[in-house]
Amino acid sequence: MLSTFENAALEAGRKIIEIFRAGCAVSTKADATPVTLADHEAEIIILAHLSRDFPDIPVIAEESVAAGHVPDIAGRPFFLVDPLDGTREFVDKRKEFTVNIAYIENGVPLAGIVYAPALGVAFVGESGSAEKLHVGDDFTVDRREKIAVRDEPEHRLALASRCHNSPATDSFLKKHAISECTNIGSSLKFCLLAEGKADVYPRFTRTMEWDTAAGDAVLRAAGGTTLTLDGEPLGYGKPGDPDFVNPDFISWGSRKRALQRA
C-alpha cells in the first residue's frame, strides 16, 4: 500500500511544484478556506492512483467532499486524502505545504504518507515502522532512513500551528512548563514529533480528518500517539459525523506519554 501512496504523492508533488513556480489564482470555498488549481490537480492524480490499485476502498478527499462527493464509509476501511495541506503556506510562497494520504481501518490510521515537495522530504509509516524519505529534484527517492520518537527530555519542545494558534494553546504550554515552542505549518508537525525533533503538538482550533490522518499514521508508526482531551486515541470516520471535523487533540512524541495516555 505504501508504494501506491509514494507513487501518488510524488506525482502529485511534481504537479504542485509546477504550479507553485508558475503561480495561480486563489479561490475561497464555502468554509472560507483557500483553494487553488494545485489542490484540484493534485487530488485528481491521487484519486487515479488509489482507484486503480484499490478500486474497492472508498476515498474521502478534501476537494471532492467540498464538491459534495462523499462515499459511504460506514463499517468499511477507507482512505483520507488532503492533496495540498497548508494551502495558505502554498499561497504565501512558504515551503511547508504537504501532500497527505492515509489508510483508515476501524477508526485507526494504519498507514500514511506526508510529502513536502518544496522541501524534498517525505515521511511514511505503517505497521510500527516509520521512515523519512529524501526526495531528489527529479521527484524520486534518493535515500530512506528509519525514524522514531525520542524519550521525553527535561526541556520539552512544543509545536504550534503557524496560522491557527490560540489562547488555549498558550495556556497548555504554560501549564505543562514547555520551555520552547516552534511554529510551523501543515502536517509536518506530526513528522517532527515522529523523527524525534520535538515532543508535543497541542491543537485547540478546528482541523479536519484529512488534515491530520496521514501525519498521525506516521507518528503512531514511529511510537507516538494522538489523544483527545479525554485521553482517548483520536479516531477517524466517526459515526454520525458527516463533516469529518476533529475534536481538540494533543499529539505526543514520547513513548512514555503514549503508554500513560497523559
Side-chain angles (χ1 to χ4, degrees), residues 1 15 21 23 75 142 156 207 215 219 225 238:
M1 182 173 287
K15 174 57 70 173
R21 291 170 178 165
D142 290 337
R156 290 174 288 180
T207 60
L219 175 59
T225 190
K238 296 175 283 295

Side-chain angles (χ1 to χ4, degrees), residues 6-248:
E6 287 184 26
N7 291 335
L10 291 170
E11 184 179 342
R14 182 191 292 270
K15 174 57 70 173
I16 288 170
I17 291 300
E18 177 185 313
I19 298 171
F20 182 69
R21 291 170 178 165
C24 66
V26 183
S27 302
T28 302
K29 293 188 286 191
D31 63 358
T33 59
V35 63
T36 70
L37 176 65
D39 296 80
H40 292 294
E41 292 291 325
E43 185 162 300
I44 289 170
I45 290 168
I46 294 166
L47 294 181
H49 281 267
L50 295 178
S51 64
R52 181 195 65 216
D53 292 355
F54 303 98
D56 297 326
I57 300 179
V59 183
I60 300 297
E62 180 178 10
E63 305 314 327
S64 295
V65 170
H69 304 303
V70 184
D72 181 14
I73 60 169
R76 304 176 62 188
F78 65 99
F79 295 117
L80 273 168
V81 171
D82 189 342
L84 180 53
D85 182 38
T87 302
R88 288 186 175 88
E89 281 77 12
F90 176 87
V91 170
D92 292 341
K93 295 297 184 181
R94 294 195 295 265
K95 296 182 177 182
E96 297 163 1
F97 52 86
T98 61
V99 177
N100 298 348
I101 309 171
Y103 171 69
I104 312 298
E105 190 172 307
N106 296 321
V108 180
L110 296 182
I113 184 169
V114 175
Y115 172 38
L119 298 176
V121 295
F123 299 84
V124 297
E126 183 180 39
S127 302
S129 177
E131 293 182 324
K132 181 177 184 179
L133 314 182
H134 299 266
V135 182
D137 293 339
D138 61 351
F139 298 92
T140 63
V141 177
D142 290 337
R143 181 164 57 90
R144 301 170 183 267
E145 61 177 294
K146 291 284 188 181
I147 59 172
V149 299
R150 67 186 182 186
D151 292 330
E152 191 171 77
E154 180 180 355
H155 300 290
R156 290 174 288 180
L157 172 62
L159 301 171
S161 172
R162 186 188 299 281
C163 300
H164 302 281
N165 208 347
S166 70
T169 302
D170 295 334
S171 176
F172 173 88
L173 299 179
K174 184 176 181 180
K175 177 181 177 181
H176 290 269
I178 305 297
S179 57
E180 296 181 80
C181 182
T182 295
N183 294 313
I184 186 171
S186 77
S187 54
L188 286 171
K189 293 180 283 292
F190 292 98
C191 301
L192 290 179
L193 295 176
E195 65 173 328
K197 291 186 176 179
D199 304 293
V200 61
Y201 164 37
R203 185 62 184 255
F204 305 124
T205 55
R206 181 183 172 94
T207 60
M208 309 302 290
E209 292 189 11
W210 47 75
D211 294 324
T212 62
D216 193 5
V218 173
L219 175 59
R220 296 187 198 200
T225 190
T226 298
L227 305 175
T228 61
L229 299 191
D230 61 5
E232 294 301 316
L234 181 63
Y236 295 87
K238 296 175 283 295
D241 179 11
D243 297 324
F244 301 97
V245 178
N246 286 321
D248 293 345

